[in-house]
Each structure stands twice: as C-alpha cells, then as structure tokens.
Amino acid sequence: MNILKEYRLIPLEEKNGTLKLLVPSSYNPLDVEEIRFRTGKDIELVVVSEEEFAKELQERLSAEEIHIEGEEGEGQESLDLLLAQDDSPAVSLVNTVLIKASTVGASDIHFEPYEDEAVVRLRMDGVLHDILKVPASTYQNVVARIKVMANLNVAEKRIPQDGRIRVKIGNKDLDIRVSVVPTVFGERVVLRLLDKTGSLLTLQQLGLYPEDREKVERLAKKPYGIVLVTGPTGAGKSTTLYAMLLHVKDPKKNIITIEDPVEYQIKGISQIQVNPKVGLTFASGLRSVLRQDPDIIMVGEIRDAETADIAVHAALTGHLVLSTLHTNDAPSAVTRLSDMGIEPFLIASSLEGVIAQRLVRRICENCKEPYQPTEEELRELGIEDYEGPFYRGRGCENCLGTGYRGRIGIFEVLELDDQLKTLITKTQDANEIKKLARTKGYKTMLEDGIRKVKEGITTSNEVISVTKT
C-alpha cells in the first residue's frame, strides 16, 4: 500500500504501532479512517497549510523512483498533477517525469526512441542529463499519452506535430510546448517547459556589473533608436529584453511586443504572437504596430532585411525599438545590419547600443571549493600574474553531482556615442569599431567572464566553452 501515491498524503514515521501522517488543512477524514482500517495502526496527524503541503508533496513525488510496468489506457488529465491519480503506467510515468522536471528546474524534457529502448533526458542549466530508460513496448503508450494531453492526432505517426499542454504542479502553472517528430525507431518528443508563475528577472538579477547595468538602463530609457541584444540561441536574450521592458514599464507609455512565441505575459504591455500561417510575420506585425501609436516596440528577432529595414525606419521616426540578432559579439551587430542591406548612415543614425551575452553555469554554493589554477588554464583565459584561487563544485545532492546550480549571464555592452557613429558611416568593420570602443571603457564578454571566475561565481571551463567559439 503506497499512501503517498494512493491517497496523496505523506507518511512521516511509524513508531510503536502509530503512523504519523503529514496532511493539508483540507484533508478528507474518510481517507484517514480508510488508512487506519487498512494498516491496522493508530494515526497521528500533522496538519500544515495547503502551500506547505503542496511543496512537500512535490518534493516527495519527484524523489520517487519511476516504475515502468505493462500496459495502459489513456487516462483523463487532471488539473493539478500533484493530485492526479495514476490511472496506468504511461500516465504515471508522464506525470512523474513532469513533476521531477518542474522540481529540479529543467527547461526541456527529451523522449528519444532507439532500437530497443527509449531514453528520457532533462535539460538543466543548459546541459542534458539522462534520468530514465523506457522499454520500447511501453514507449508508444507514453507518446500517445503526451499527444492526448496536447490535443494532437494520436493515429498520425508519419509527420511532425506541434502542440501545447497547460498543467498545474502545486502552485506552479506550466505552459508546455510539445514537438513530435518521426524517427527511424519511433516518434521523438521534446517538451519545452515555461513556468507562467515564475517571476521575470530584473536588470539587477541578470549578472550585470554596476557599470554595465547603468549603460543598459540608459539604453532602455532612450526616447528613440534601436537597442539590440545579441548571442546564439539559448543565451538568455529574451530574458534581458523582458528585464529592460520591466525597467521602463510605465502607464504613460504605450509598449507593444511582437514575439515568437510569447514566453511571459507582462501586465500593462500588449503582446502579439507571430503566426506565419495567416501572414502575421515579424515584418508585417511591425508595420501594423507602427499604426498603433507605440512609444516602445520589442521585436522578438530581426531575421531578414525587410524586418531590419522597418525597424530602422521606426527608430528614425521617434520610436524605441528593442530586438535581438544572432552575432558572436556586440561590434559584429553593425556588420550584420550592413550585410542585411541597411545603409551605413542609417545604422549610425538609428543604432544606440548593443548588448552581447552568453549564459554560464553557476558553481553550486553547497559544494564550492577553492583550487589553484594551472598555468595552462590561466594561459587559455589570457591571464598573467594571478596568484589567487579559482573555484569549482565537488558535486553534491543539491546539484545532482554536477558541481553547478543555476546560471548567470556574461555580458559586453557597447554604447554608441557620436565618435563611434561617425566611424560606422566610414567602416562597418567589427574590429575597427571594437578598437575605438576599447578606448572608451568597453569590456569584452571574456573579460566579464574572467571577473566572475575570480569571484568564484563560475568556472574557467564554463567561460572558455562559451567565449572561445
């Protein structure tokens, strides 16, 4: 008899014929009587608030071993996975994986089929970790269960499908994007987890040093112009844009965003979801938004010359445009806009600043230890005459043995003044722009990363892996 799974009550200890149970304030006395009858033991209750109980229940369920048995029927989805009854092995497995992913703060769940089994992996702090193997016979039912939850066609197995699931796990409201793709050994499923109840980060929480944060705050408060955030996919660009919007959000300002997808809803800001199927692209959306009398426009990404052209003209006609580009560093954004066909004098007139960033994993505070770096390590970072220690995580329960817990950004902020703008009209060479910017106090991402390594925030390996590309 599994009290935790059958009754969603938490057994604490058993002593001298008495079973102690942790229960929420809204517990059902009939359940307690049934447990008393089935176990033949006296029951002692520890009553806690709903919130405290939900948190403890989530931790207990996520720590439970995931057992895989025979077959299933498609169970009905419950509103809250913590209260969902385990109708069948596939339903139980999907629910437990979702609870575990939410508890450890995973951003994605991968279900990958191979010849004789499927592997379930969680992406935590940007790195994939294997958590479970599923027999091929059960895997088909797991995929069917996910499809039912996402309202996808269960019978269609030849073409890719996309959908979404809304679930509640305790006090967390999750919006899950579902992508199903057929492979040789079955359908591969990836779930992207977006926590709707998660609070957005502010500029103070991103990991910007005070001098860079002041620059970003100045850029966010510009009356017009373009401010770009650059970096590869998964570098936290959207998070930085949201932080800038939160910083300037004001009832007196009309702020409109065009995103793909809308990751977080912000009260007081109008957000538009791109939908190419009906012709709503970044470019067409941006054109329409300009007729809505906006003060600040956030464009999820400048992907093509048309969007870039409209964004530049929007900036020149008195709007502040915030957007993202895929470039390796801040000065390269000028070269990229030039490659898209934007005239140099237009870039110089409209571009106000560029923030380039990457994400690095934070050292786990619970198992952090100092060590003396090797000469080779120092040489790779380009450091000379450094006597102090570096830090690393040994690996513990808190960080699942990785030595890391959470992530932080490393940044370079290029603020364009008149001198730099004059240079841009003459040359769009990133190296020339960088050379002049260096004389004005511009610091690279590598330098920002080295500072965080010396302060024991991250490791040299992390900084090298994201900057030496």
Side-chain angles (χ1 to χ4, degrees):
M1 172 182 171
N2 189 329
I3 295 171
L4 183 68
K5 287 206 162 191
E6 285 182 48
Y7 294 95
R8 289 302 197 245
L9 299 176
I10 301 169
L12 295 174
E13 62 173 8
E14 199 178 322
K15 216 177 195 177
N16 305 328
T18 300
L19 178 63
K20 192 186 277 190
L21 290 179
L22 185 74
V23 298
S25 51
S26 63
Y27 76 93
N28 184 350
L30 293 176
D31 285 346
V32 175
E33 280 307 310
E34 197 173 312
I35 293 167
R36 191 197 310 276
F37 176 75
R38 287 181 67 184
T39 59
K41 299 183 191 313
D42 290 332
I43 305 293
E44 184 186 329
L45 298 182
V46 178
V47 184
V48 294
S49 69
E50 296 288 330
E51 200 173 301
E52 202 177 322
F53 182 79
K55 191 179 173 195
E56 183 64 28
L57 180 62
Q58 183 176 341
E59 282 179 14
R60 294 291 181 108
L61 286 172
S62 78
E64 284 263 302
E65 285 297 315
I66 304 173
H67 295 292
I68 305 160
E69 298 157 29
E71 280 323 303
E72 64 111 26
E74 255 111 62
Q76 194 60 39
E77 179 56 21
S78 174
L79 178 67
D80 190 337
L81 290 191
L82 294 185
L83 306 176
Q85 297 303 309
D86 299 337
D87 310 51
S88 62
V91 174
S92 171
L93 186 141
V94 172
N95 286 0
T96 310
V97 168
L98 285 172
I99 291 167
K100 188 169 192 71
S102 171
T103 305
V104 299
S107 60
D108 302 83
I109 307 170
H110 291 229
F111 294 84
E112 303 170 6
Y114 297 105
E115 193 166 6
D116 46 2
E117 64 185 8
V119 178
V120 181
R121 307 204 282 170
L122 301 184
R123 188 179 292 282
M124 290 176 289
D125 298 331
V127 179
L128 284 167
H129 299 270
D130 290 17
I131 60 153
L132 180 66
K133 288 183 168 49
V134 184
S137 57
T138 307
Y139 181 69
Q140 287 181 352
N141 294 314
V142 170
V143 174
R145 171 62 185 158
I146 294 168
K147 284 183 169 183
V148 166
M149 291 171 79
N151 290 320
L152 298 177
N153 184 347
V154 179
E156 180 56 78
K157 296 178 182 179
R158 300 160 300 171
I159 58 169
Q161 295 187 67
D162 292 310
R164 62 196 294 183
I165 302 169
R166 290 293 295 269
V167 294
K168 206 167 154 41
I169 297 178
N171 56 2
K172 276 188 183 178
D173 191 7
L174 288 184
D175 186 8
I176 302 168
R177 303 291 156 94
V178 182
S179 170
V180 183
V181 175
T183 70
V184 177
F185 298 115
E187 289 174 289
R188 188 182 197 282
V189 182
V190 175
L191 310 181
R192 161 64 58 91
L193 275 57
L194 297 171
D195 183 1
K196 291 291 177 188
T197 47
S199 57
L200 288 165
L201 296 181
T202 62
L203 287 176
Q204 285 82 358
Q205 296 167 311
L206 294 178
L208 286 156
Y209 284 111
E211 60 272 24
D212 280 342
R213 194 175 75 235
E214 282 167 23
K215 288 182 192 173
V216 174
E217 286 173 357
R218 273 200 303 274
L219 290 172
K221 287 189 167 172
K222 292 273 183 187
Y224 52 84
I226 296 181
V227 179
L228 295 174
V229 182
T230 77
T233 305
K237 299 188 294 294
S238 298
T239 304
T240 301
L241 285 177
Y242 281 129
M244 291 170 79
L245 288 180
L246 285 180
H247 184 69
V248 295
K249 192 165 77 101
D250 185 329
K252 298 184 188 73
K253 284 183 177 163
N254 179 15
I255 303 175
I256 305 178
T257 74
I258 309 161
E259 305 172 59
D260 183 23
V262 173
E263 289 181 31
Y264 294 99
Q265 274 108 38
I266 307 174
K267 202 173 178 184
I269 292 176
S270 302
Q271 295 170 277
I272 299 166
Q273 168 83 49
V274 165
N275 187 352
K277 287 179 189 168
V278 295
L280 178 52
T281 61
F282 280 123
S284 65
L286 187 49
R287 265 202 200 91
S288 303
V289 162
L290 287 171
R291 295 193 282 273
Q292 291 277 318
D293 183 33
D295 296 299
I296 299 170
I297 307 165
M298 179 186 121
V299 185
E301 190 186 332
I302 293 177
R303 289 181 181 167
D304 51 52
E306 189 185 4
T307 311
D309 189 53
I310 303 165
V312 165
H313 284 95
L316 293 172
T317 52
H319 306 89
L320 178 64
V321 180
L322 307 177
S323 191
T324 70
L325 265 184
H326 290 283
T327 65
N328 284 336
D329 60 9
S332 301
V334 175
T335 316
R336 182 90 179 89
L337 288 173
S338 177
D339 292 344
M340 283 180 161
I342 307 297
E343 293 291 341
F345 73 92
L346 289 176
I347 299 172
S349 307
S350 59
L351 190 63
E352 293 297 328
V354 186
I355 302 152
Q357 65 181 78
R358 300 282 189 282
L359 288 180
V360 292
R361 291 184 289 172
R362 283 177 180 268
I363 300 170
C364 172
E365 288 297 327
N366 197 51
C367 59
K368 182 155 88 172
E369 61 179 16
Y371 73 97
Q372 210 53 43
T374 62
E375 277 184 33
E376 190 185 342
E377 212 173 330
L378 292 171
R379 195 165 53 246
E380 208 161 351
L381 286 170
I383 301 174
E384 292 172 10
D385 307 323
Y386 180 69
E387 300 298 328
F390 280 2
Y391 295 84
R392 61 186 166 208
R394 272 193 318 279
C396 63
E397 272 184 23
N398 277 22
C399 58
L400 300 178
T402 60
Y404 298 99
R405 190 171 171 87
R407 287 191 288 180
I408 193 168
I410 60 171
F411 301 88
E412 57 185 47
V413 184
L414 177 65
E415 204 177 7
L416 298 179
D417 61 8
D418 291 340
Q419 229 182 326
L420 279 161
K421 289 185 175 202
T422 305
L423 178 67
I424 289 168
T425 58
K426 295 172 187 164
T427 175
Q428 294 78 57
D429 185 282
N431 291 326
E432 290 295 319
I433 296 163
K434 185 185 280 189
K435 208 180 289 178
L436 179 58
R438 297 283 282 173
T439 65
K440 298 168 182 296
Y442 161 81
K443 289 184 176 61
T444 65
M445 263 183 295
L446 178 60
E447 288 168 313
D448 191 65
I450 289 167
R451 190 168 162 186
K452 288 184 169 91
V453 168
K454 288 177 178 177
E455 290 176 10
I457 296 169
T458 188
T459 62
S460 58
N461 283 348
E462 281 292 295
V463 172
I464 288 163
S465 68
V466 300
T467 57
K468 301 277 183 174
T469 47

